Amino acid sequence: LFPRETFKNRPNGLRPDLARMLADLRPAFIRFPGGAIVGGLNLDNRIQWKNSIGPIEQRIGTMNLWGYWTSNGLGFHEYLQMCEDLGADALWVCNPGFSDNYRCAEAARPEQVKEFVQEALDAIEYAIGPANSTWGARRAANGHPAPFPLRYIEIGNEADGPVYGDNYRQFYEAIHAKYPSLTVIGNLRLQDTPVEMVDDHKYGNPAVF
């Protein structure tokens, strides 16, 4: 169900009461689209941002790895708009070329990784590219000619292993070359590869902290 009255009257926007609760927290940044859904049960099941923009009735949903249907009604554009409306920097998490680490990960072949890198570059262009670029024009057509407040790109969610290091390097080099102002976030501290910021996920009882 989608509300008719939305936060700041945005098309396909947020429930005003919930959005105001978020606004009252005054977040400095918002990380999306989430955690394990970034990888999915397999590569086809991963969240794909291009399926989450445009008319909501035409968006391709998926049965997510937690066992319920995700419509993509709240999509890439709406998350970016939410960040702008809350005065928060956007932190987008992209797929690193393999599905969720903790669910028998399916990895793209080495020669396919460049396709996942391009998927990330296209997303960045949608968010902050000029309105006359390929994906910036799609953003403008969806009602937002100006760039969104995207500042951070995280490569993978809780990803690790040797494949991650190799793939991360390709993502970092491509993103940094084209968008040097963005901060690239890694899931691990890697040798011989720049990691500007690390997203540590720590689990355990309070004593371990």
Side-chain angles (χ1 to χ4, degrees), residues 119-138:
E119 185 177 272
L121 291 173
D122 290 346
I124 297 170
E125 184 175 279
Y126 183 95
I128 63 175
N132 61 356
S133 63
T134 300
W135 288 103
R138 290 285 294 274

PDB file of all heavy atoms in Angstrom, residues 119-138:
ATOM      1  N   GLU A 119      27.558  -1.693 -13.715  1.00  0.00           N
ATOM      2  CA  GLU A 119      26.273  -1.510 -13.036  1.00  0.00           C
ATOM      3  C   GLU A 119      26.400  -0.459 -11.935  1.00  0.00           C
ATOM      4  O   GLU A 119      25.506   0.376 -11.755  1.00  0.00           O
ATOM      5  CB  GLU A 119      25.823  -2.854 -12.449  1.00  0.00           C
ATOM      6  CG  GLU A 119      24.462  -2.863 -11.808  1.00  0.00           C
ATOM      7  CD  GLU A 119      24.070  -4.254 -11.332  1.00  0.00           C
ATOM      8  OE1 GLU A 119      23.495  -5.029 -12.124  1.00  0.00           O
ATOM      9  OE2 GLU A 119      24.364  -4.574 -10.161  1.00  0.00           O
ATOM     10  N   ALA A 120      27.519  -0.500 -11.205  1.00  0.00           N
ATOM     11  CA  ALA A 120      27.758   0.492 -10.156  1.00  0.00           C
ATOM     12  C   ALA A 120      28.000   1.876 -10.744  1.00  0.00           C
ATOM     13  O   ALA A 120      27.473   2.880 -10.250  1.00  0.00           O
ATOM     14  CB  ALA A 120      28.941   0.063  -9.295  1.00  0.00           C
ATOM     15  N   LEU A 121      28.786   1.944 -11.808  1.00  0.00           N
ATOM     16  CA  LEU A 121      29.050   3.240 -12.440  1.00  0.00           C
ATOM     17  C   LEU A 121      27.769   3.858 -12.989  1.00  0.00           C
ATOM     18  O   LEU A 121      27.571   5.078 -12.907  1.00  0.00           O
ATOM     19  CB  LEU A 121      30.075   3.074 -13.563  1.00  0.00           C
ATOM     20  CG  LEU A 121      31.504   2.730 -13.136  1.00  0.00           C
ATOM     21  CD1 LEU A 121      32.361   2.439 -14.352  1.00  0.00           C
ATOM     22  CD2 LEU A 121      32.119   3.846 -12.297  1.00  0.00           C
ATOM     23  N   ASP A 122      26.891   3.030 -13.536  1.00  0.00           N
ATOM     24  CA  ASP A 122      25.609   3.538 -14.040  1.00  0.00           C
ATOM     25  C   ASP A 122      24.770   4.109 -12.902  1.00  0.00           C
ATOM     26  O   ASP A 122      24.107   5.148 -13.058  1.00  0.00           O
ATOM     27  CB  ASP A 122      24.833   2.419 -14.748  1.00  0.00           C
ATOM     28  CG  ASP A 122      25.464   2.001 -16.065  1.00  0.00           C
ATOM     29  OD1 ASP A 122      26.343   2.722 -16.575  1.00  0.00           O
ATOM     30  OD2 ASP A 122      25.072   0.934 -16.581  1.00  0.00           O
ATOM     31  N   ALA A 123      24.790   3.426 -11.756  1.00  0.00           N
ATOM     32  CA  ALA A 123      24.027   3.910 -10.602  1.00  0.00           C
ATOM     33  C   ALA A 123      24.561   5.258 -10.126  1.00  0.00           C
ATOM     34  O   ALA A 123      23.787   6.166  -9.801  1.00  0.00           O
ATOM     35  CB  ALA A 123      24.088   2.889  -9.465  1.00  0.00           C
ATOM     36  N   ILE A 124      25.867   5.386 -10.094  1.00  0.00           N
ATOM     37  CA  ILE A 124      26.465   6.655  -9.675  1.00  0.00           C
ATOM     38  C   ILE A 124      26.085   7.757 -10.655  1.00  0.00           C
ATOM     39  O   ILE A 124      25.757   8.882 -10.246  1.00  0.00           O
ATOM     40  CB  ILE A 124      27.992   6.508  -9.557  1.00  0.00           C
ATOM     41  CG1 ILE A 124      28.349   5.492  -8.472  1.00  0.00           C
ATOM     42  CG2 ILE A 124      28.630   7.862  -9.256  1.00  0.00           C
ATOM     43  CD1 ILE A 124      29.811   5.096  -8.450  1.00  0.00           C
ATOM     44  N   GLU A 125      26.121   7.433 -11.939  1.00  0.00           N
ATOM     45  CA  GLU A 125      25.744   8.433 -12.941  1.00  0.00           C
ATOM     46  C   GLU A 125      24.285   8.839 -12.773  1.00  0.00           C
ATOM     47  O   GLU A 125      23.940  10.018 -12.917  1.00  0.00           O
ATOM     48  CB  GLU A 125      25.985   7.896 -14.347  1.00  0.00           C
ATOM     49  CG  GLU A 125      25.696   8.916 -15.446  1.00  0.00           C
ATOM     50  CD  GLU A 125      26.059   8.402 -16.822  1.00  0.00           C
ATOM     51  OE1 GLU A 125      27.242   8.453 -17.186  1.00  0.00           O
ATOM     52  OE2 GLU A 125      25.133   7.937 -17.538  1.00  0.00           O
ATOM     53  N   TYR A 126      23.424   7.879 -12.467  1.00  0.00           N
ATOM     54  CA  TYR A 126      22.017   8.223 -12.211  1.00  0.00           C
ATOM     55  C   TYR A 126      21.914   9.193 -11.039  1.00  0.00           C
ATOM     56  O   TYR A 126      21.146  10.158 -11.084  1.00  0.00           O
ATOM     57  CB  TYR A 126      21.202   6.964 -11.913  1.00  0.00           C
ATOM     58  CG  TYR A 126      19.724   7.238 -11.716  1.00  0.00           C
ATOM     59  CD1 TYR A 126      18.839   7.114 -12.778  1.00  0.00           C
ATOM     60  CD2 TYR A 126      19.211   7.633 -10.478  1.00  0.00           C
ATOM     61  CE1 TYR A 126      17.482   7.387 -12.607  1.00  0.00           C
ATOM     62  CE2 TYR A 126      17.867   7.909 -10.295  1.00  0.00           C
ATOM     63  CZ  TYR A 126      17.005   7.785 -11.374  1.00  0.00           C
ATOM     64  OH  TYR A 126      15.668   8.060 -11.211  1.00  0.00           O
ATOM     65  N   ALA A 127      22.703   8.953 -10.003  1.00  0.00           N
ATOM     66  CA  ALA A 127      22.589   9.768  -8.789  1.00  0.00           C
ATOM     67  C   ALA A 127      23.202  11.150  -8.937  1.00  0.00           C
ATOM     68  O   ALA A 127      22.608  12.147  -8.505  1.00  0.00           O
ATOM     69  CB  ALA A 127      23.232   9.041  -7.615  1.00  0.00           C
ATOM     70  N   ILE A 128      24.391  11.238  -9.552  1.00  0.00           N
ATOM     71  CA  ILE A 128      25.096  12.525  -9.529  1.00  0.00           C
ATOM     72  C   ILE A 128      25.599  12.975 -10.897  1.00  0.00           C
ATOM     73  O   ILE A 128      26.222  14.042 -11.005  1.00  0.00           O
ATOM     74  CB  ILE A 128      26.292  12.487  -8.547  1.00  0.00           C
ATOM     75  CG1 ILE A 128      27.341  11.458  -8.983  1.00  0.00           C
ATOM     76  CG2 ILE A 128      25.809  12.207  -7.127  1.00  0.00           C
ATOM     77  CD1 ILE A 128      28.604  11.461  -8.121  1.00  0.00           C
ATOM     78  N   GLY A 129      25.349  12.198 -11.943  1.00  0.00           N
ATOM     79  CA  GLY A 129      25.814  12.578 -13.266  1.00  0.00           C
ATOM     80  C   GLY A 129      25.045  13.760 -13.827  1.00  0.00           C
ATOM     81  O   GLY A 129      23.937  14.078 -13.371  1.00  0.00           O
ATOM     82  N   PRO A 130      25.615  14.434 -14.820  1.00  0.00           N
ATOM     83  CA  PRO A 130      24.904  15.572 -15.436  1.00  0.00           C
ATOM     84  C   PRO A 130      23.605  15.118 -16.090  1.00  0.00           C
ATOM     85  O   PRO A 130      23.467  13.962 -16.513  1.00  0.00           O
ATOM     86  CB  PRO A 130      25.905  16.098 -16.468  1.00  0.00           C
ATOM     87  CG  PRO A 130      26.855  14.972 -16.707  1.00  0.00           C
ATOM     88  CD  PRO A 130      26.933  14.190 -15.432  1.00  0.00           C
ATOM     89  N   ALA A 131      22.669  16.038 -16.179  1.00  0.00           N
ATOM     90  CA  ALA A 131      21.335  15.703 -16.695  1.00  0.00           C
ATOM     91  C   ALA A 131      21.351  15.351 -18.178  1.00  0.00           C
ATOM     92  O   ALA A 131      20.353  14.841 -18.690  1.00  0.00           O
ATOM     93  CB  ALA A 131      20.370  16.854 -16.440  1.00  0.00           C
ATOM     94  N   ASN A 132      22.466  15.611 -18.856  1.00  0.00           N
ATOM     95  CA  ASN A 132      22.546  15.233 -20.271  1.00  0.00           C
ATOM     96  C   ASN A 132      23.325  13.939 -20.479  1.00  0.00           C
ATOM     97  O   ASN A 132      23.581  13.534 -21.606  1.00  0.00           O
ATOM     98  CB  ASN A 132      23.170  16.359 -21.104  1.00  0.00           C
ATOM     99  CG  ASN A 132      24.592  16.696 -20.673  1.00  0.00           C
ATOM    100  OD1 ASN A 132      25.098  16.130 -19.702  1.00  0.00           O
ATOM    101  ND2 ASN A 132      25.214  17.618 -21.379  1.00  0.00           N
ATOM    102  N   SER A 133      23.714  13.266 -19.380  1.00  0.00           N
ATOM    103  CA  SER A 133      24.339  11.948 -19.497  1.00  0.00           C
ATOM    104  C   SER A 133      23.248  10.894 -19.649  1.00  0.00           C
ATOM    105  O   SER A 133      22.061  11.164 -19.419  1.00  0.00           O
ATOM    106  CB  SER A 133      25.201  11.654 -18.268  1.00  0.00           C
ATOM    107  OG  SER A 133      24.395  11.604 -17.101  1.00  0.00           O
ATOM    108  N   THR A 134      23.631   9.688 -19.995  1.00  0.00           N
ATOM    109  CA  THR A 134      22.642   8.629 -20.240  1.00  0.00           C
ATOM    110  C   THR A 134      21.743   8.398 -19.035  1.00  0.00           C
ATOM    111  O   THR A 134      20.514   8.463 -19.121  1.00  0.00           O
ATOM    112  CB  THR A 134      23.348   7.317 -20.621  1.00  0.00           C
ATOM    113  OG1 THR A 134      24.115   7.529 -21.811  1.00  0.00           O
ATOM    114  CG2 THR A 134      22.322   6.206 -20.870  1.00  0.00           C
ATOM    115  N   TRP A 135      22.358   8.153 -17.874  1.00  0.00           N
ATOM    116  CA  TRP A 135      21.549   7.839 -16.695  1.00  0.00           C
ATOM    117  C   TRP A 135      21.133   9.097 -15.941  1.00  0.00           C
ATOM    118  O   TRP A 135      20.090   9.113 -15.281  1.00  0.00           O
ATOM    119  CB  TRP A 135      22.293   6.855 -15.786  1.00  0.00           C
ATOM    120  CG  TRP A 135      22.330   5.496 -16.403  1.00  0.00           C
ATOM    121  CD1 TRP A 135      23.382   4.898 -17.044  1.00  0.00           C
ATOM    122  CD2 TRP A 135      21.234   4.584 -16.490  1.00  0.00           C
ATOM    123  NE1 TRP A 135      23.008   3.670 -17.522  1.00  0.00           N
ATOM    124  CE2 TRP A 135      21.696   3.444 -17.196  1.00  0.00           C
ATOM    125  CE3 TRP A 135      19.913   4.601 -16.052  1.00  0.00           C
ATOM    126  CZ2 TRP A 135      20.876   2.350 -17.468  1.00  0.00           C
ATOM    127  CZ3 TRP A 135      19.097   3.515 -16.318  1.00  0.00           C
ATOM    128  CH2 TRP A 135      19.582   2.400 -17.012  1.00  0.00           C
ATOM    129  N   GLY A 136      21.912  10.163 -16.065  1.00  0.00           N
ATOM    130  CA  GLY A 136      21.470  11.431 -15.492  1.00  0.00           C
ATOM    131  C   GLY A 136      20.204  11.930 -16.161  1.00  0.00           C
ATOM    132  O   GLY A 136      19.337  12.532 -15.514  1.00  0.00           O
ATOM    133  N   ALA A 137      20.073  11.656 -17.450  1.00  0.00           N
ATOM    134  CA  ALA A 137      18.852  12.034 -18.171  1.00  0.00           C
ATOM    135  C   ALA A 137      17.653  11.234 -17.657  1.00  0.00           C
ATOM    136  O   ALA A 137      16.528  11.762 -17.597  1.00  0.00           O
ATOM    137  CB  ALA A 137      19.041  11.813 -19.664  1.00  0.00           C
ATOM    138  N   ARG A 138      17.895   9.971 -17.274  1.00  0.00           N
ATOM    139  CA  ARG A 138      16.797   9.173 -16.706  1.00  0.00           C
ATOM    140  C   ARG A 138      16.376   9.754 -15.354  1.00  0.00           C
ATOM    141  O   ARG A 138      15.184   9.793 -15.025  1.00  0.00           O
ATOM    142  CB  ARG A 138      17.251   7.723 -16.532  1.00  0.00           C
ATOM    143  CG  ARG A 138      17.437   6.967 -17.840  1.00  0.00           C
ATOM    144  CD  ARG A 138      16.113   6.581 -18.476  1.00  0.00           C
ATOM    145  NE  ARG A 138      15.384   5.629 -17.671  1.00  0.00           N
ATOM    146  CZ  ARG A 138      15.549   4.299 -17.733  1.00  0.00           C
ATOM    147  NH1 ARG A 138      16.457   3.790 -18.575  1.00  0.00           N
ATOM    148  NH2 ARG A 138      14.847   3.488 -16.988  1.00  0.00           N
TER     149      ARG A 138
END
